[in-house]
Amino acid sequence: MEDVLNKTALTVEVVEEFKSIVGSSYVLYDEENLKNYGHDETEHLLYLPEVVIKPRKAEEIAAIMKICNAERIPVTPRGAGTGLSGGALPNLGGALISMERLNSIIEIDERNLQVTVEPGVITEVLQNAVKEKGLFYPPDPSSRGSCFIGGNISANSGGPKAVKYGVVRDYVLNLQIVLPNGEIIWTGSNVLKNSTGYNLTHLVVGSEGTLGIVTKIVLRLIPLPKFDLLMLVPFNSLEKAGEAVSAIFRAGFVPSGLELVELEALQIVSRFVDSTSIPVGDDVAAHLIIEVDGNNMDVLMSEMEAISELLMQYDAGEALFADDAQQKAELWKLRRRVAEAVKIAGYTIEEDTVVPRAELPVLIHGVKELGKQFNFHAVCYGHAGDGNLHIRIKKAGTSNSQDDLEVIAGIRALFTLVHKLGGTISGEHGIGLIQKRYLDIVFNETQLALMQGIKKTFDPNNILNAGKIFDLKQEVISTHNN
């Protein structure tokens, strides 16, 4: 290890300084740990950091960042490693800062319906903690049982309930962050309204760890709905299922969840979790999972019956109503594990498109046609209620989207279609490392220059998650060793 370090800005002396800040047991550089932290859930990609640091508090991160900024050492902040755009991959080597030890729920303020939490808290743990007090934090990514709330902040995550309740940005009131130069600041105030200057809080949410490292988070909460109902509706046409989504909203209904899963994805995940809870016939092309929630069960029952009747106009089959909490949990488990199951089945490339919901049928049809044109097979699923369609791609001999020219051309054609339909190329996964080559489809030079200027203002030495979202011309000392 010493020989390697002496060849780069990350010297043995610098590593000793890291140890003095966080303790020797929390500075790792053995091969096994470097590999463990060198990948996330993005395709099949591996980039080794040179050192992994596990701080416990903001002041330790500040001290680390001061050293890295002075020595021009690249820094990659990392949450749980569940990301799908390569945002936590240490593509330039250097130091990786894991947020796993910043894992406390600091305060649940029931009077003001707020919670203060550290970034390493698992999203579902946070949800369950506030639920015990009759409160609700709606954003719930499919990986909520393992992802960190800090990672959700980084990517502005959504999940199934975004259709009714909004995404992470809609719940963040204030953030404590460590800037690349080591300074600690708060971005806003713990209030529901704030027109005092630029909104730094909303700027940091979704910035993918490129502007600062989040160390404390203040979130607003809402009262927990008393009841929810869930049904599964089969369709013999994928496009008809897409048409039905827009029809539900045009009829005046706002479900708390509206998910689309096409047949092949559902078959794969059913085998993966060994479930027979969903009957799948040969004439079924896709399913919609529809949930409503609220405080009046009679109203919810009436809504579900009306939605079910409406869907008959779109060649829907007989709806399956979840009879109890166990059946609801089983249906949501199937939906939440689709991404994991199809990836194992060979669909290793995922695109996170979003279009106006009425354009879903055109997008779905376009995906299938592009698959024929560019020699890949695709399955579709996702948050149809807000037009966010996840597209999983499988191509023989290809495990990632970075090396295959035909796949790259196919993705560019897909994103061009998405943009033409009024959409954009990421709804909740972020741009990270793997989508940045396509930003020119949705942004012009002026827009990109403004974003790059913001990055340079926060991080003039370009050390924090450099190479994510876009590449700056300004040089950074690379300790890339993979």
Side-chain angles (χ1 to χ4, degrees):
M1 179 65 183
E2 184 170 331
D3 291 338
V4 174
L5 288 175
N6 279 329
K7 295 176 184 176
T8 72
L10 190 57
T11 63
V12 172
E13 289 75 18
V14 168
V15 172
E16 290 302 315
E17 289 188 70
F18 294 156
K19 290 180 180 179
S20 70
I21 295 168
V22 301
S24 297
S25 58
Y26 298 115
V27 178
L28 311 173
Y29 41 79
D30 60 284
E31 184 177 0
E32 181 180 358
N33 273 298
L34 296 184
K35 287 183 177 180
N36 285 341
Y37 288 89
H39 67 89
D40 58 10
E41 293 302 316
T42 308
E43 301 178 2
H44 287 310
L45 298 173
L46 177 68
Y47 295 88
L48 300 185
E50 290 186 64
V51 63
V52 175
I53 310 169
K54 299 183 179 183
R56 176 60 192 93
K57 53 187 179 180
E59 290 75 15
E60 293 176 353
I61 296 174
I64 293 165
M65 291 306 302
K66 287 177 182 177
I67 294 169
C68 292
N69 194 50
E71 300 293 336
R72 307 295 193 267
I73 297 169
V75 176
T76 304
R78 177 185 171 97
T82 60
L84 292 163
S85 67
L89 295 177
N91 55 303
L92 297 178
L96 183 145
I97 297 180
S98 171
M99 306 302 289
E100 63 198 85
R101 295 180 63 220
L102 280 79
N103 59 358
S104 297
I105 298 175
I106 297 170
E107 180 189 13
I108 299 175
D109 182 351
E110 296 179 69
R111 291 193 312 135
N112 290 305
L113 299 184
Q114 295 178 8
V115 59
T116 303
V117 62
E118 291 182 323
V121 173
I122 293 172
T123 304
E124 190 172 18
V125 170
L126 170 64
Q127 291 175 320
N128 290 340
V130 301
K131 184 177 181 179
E132 290 179 3
K133 298 182 180 296
L135 300 175
F136 187 32
Y137 174 67
D140 61 338
S142 294
S143 58
R144 66 176 185 174
S146 55
C147 64
F148 291 172
I149 187 66
N152 299 168
I153 298 290
S154 176
N156 190 28
S157 300
K161 289 187 169 51
V163 61
K164 179 177 180 179
Y165 291 106
V167 296
V168 165
R169 180 175 282 121
D170 300 309
Y171 294 87
V172 179
L173 298 176
N174 202 359
L175 297 170
Q176 183 192 68
I177 66 171
V178 177
L179 295 171
N181 65 3
E183 187 174 352
I184 301 173
I185 67 167
W186 284 91
T187 59
S189 298
N190 301 357
V191 292
L192 296 174
K193 295 173 69 177
N194 188 346
S195 61
T196 310
Y198 294 146
N199 195 323
L200 296 180
T201 304
H202 281 192
L203 180 60
V204 171
V205 177
S207 64
E208 302 185 43
T210 63
L211 304 181
I213 299 177
V214 174
T215 49
K216 288 188 180 68
I217 303 157
V218 182
L219 300 166
R220 75 177 182 93
L221 305 170
I222 61 177
L224 182 71
K226 293 179 181 178
F227 308 109
D228 60 71
L229 296 174
L230 186 69
M231 69 177 173
L232 183 80
V233 185
F235 290 80
N236 59 19
S237 162
L238 189 54
E239 287 83 0
K240 284 289 186 181
E243 291 176 19
V245 171
S246 177
I248 290 171
F249 291 91
R250 295 199 309 272
F253 303 108
V254 183
S256 54
L258 180 46
E259 301 288 295
L260 180 147
V261 185
E262 75 164 276
L263 175 63
E264 187 171 355
L266 192 59
Q267 290 173 327
I268 291 170
V269 72
S270 294
R271 291 193 297 267
F272 182 70
V273 301
D274 192 23
S275 172
T276 58
S277 62
I278 298 178
V280 179
D282 293 336
D283 58 340
V284 173
H287 286 79
L288 290 182
I289 299 172
I290 304 170
E291 180 191 75
V292 296
D293 68 2
N295 296 319
N296 187 314
M297 180 60 83
D298 291 337
V299 170
L300 297 182
M301 288 293 296
S302 177
E303 284 186 2
M304 276 302 213
E305 290 171 1
I307 291 172
S308 180
E309 183 175 343
L310 170 68
L311 296 183
M312 293 301 103
Q313 301 174 29
Y314 296 88
D315 299 331
E318 184 177 356
L320 170 67
F321 286 85
D323 294 326
D324 52 36
Q326 182 178 352
Q327 196 169 23
K328 291 176 188 175
E330 182 70 13
L331 289 176
W332 276 123
K333 181 178 75 171
L334 286 169
R335 167 59 189 94
R336 292 183 184 281
R337 300 197 69 181
V338 167
E340 179 186 4
V342 297
K343 182 178 181 180
I344 291 173
Y347 294 85
T348 56
I349 299 168
E350 177 163 348
E351 305 308 331
D352 172 41
T353 61
V354 57
V355 295
R357 66 171 73 97
E359 305 299 336
L360 271 176
V362 181
L363 176 59
I364 290 169
H365 178 75
V367 168
K368 300 302 183 180
E369 291 302 310
L370 288 171
K372 297 175 185 176
Q373 181 180 349
F374 292 97
N375 300 310
F376 62 75
H377 189 65
V379 293
C380 302
Y381 58 92
H383 316 305
D386 49 27
N388 186 192
L389 190 69
H390 300 317
I391 301 161
R392 278 277 181 174
I393 293 172
K394 175 172 69 174
K395 185 177 183 224
T398 300
S399 63
N400 66 69
S401 63
Q402 304 300 291
D403 304 323
D404 189 304
L405 294 179
E406 193 168 39
V407 169
I408 292 170
I411 293 173
R412 178 162 284 274
L414 169 63
F415 287 160
T416 300
L417 171 63
V418 166
H419 183 53
K420 182 179 178 181
L421 294 174
T424 194
I425 66 176
S426 181
E428 58 184 9
H429 293 169
I431 297 302
L433 188 62
I434 65 169
Q435 307 292 20
K436 61 184 181 180
R437 71 171 77 204
Y438 307 107
L439 275 184
D440 63 291
I441 295 173
V442 292
F443 294 134
N444 61 33
E445 291 185 3
T446 299
Q447 293 168 308
L448 287 171
L450 284 169
M451 294 182 194
Q452 291 168 349
I454 292 169
K455 167 67 172 172
K456 290 177 182 178
T457 298
F458 275 78
D459 185 13
N461 292 324
N462 193 27
I463 64 163
L464 186 56
N465 228 12
K468 311 297 169 54
I469 307 180
F470 40 66
D471 292 310
L472 294 180
K473 294 180 181 179
Q474 183 176 354
E475 291 185 1
V476 62
I477 295 177
S478 173
T479 58
H480 177 53
N481 66 340
N482 184 41

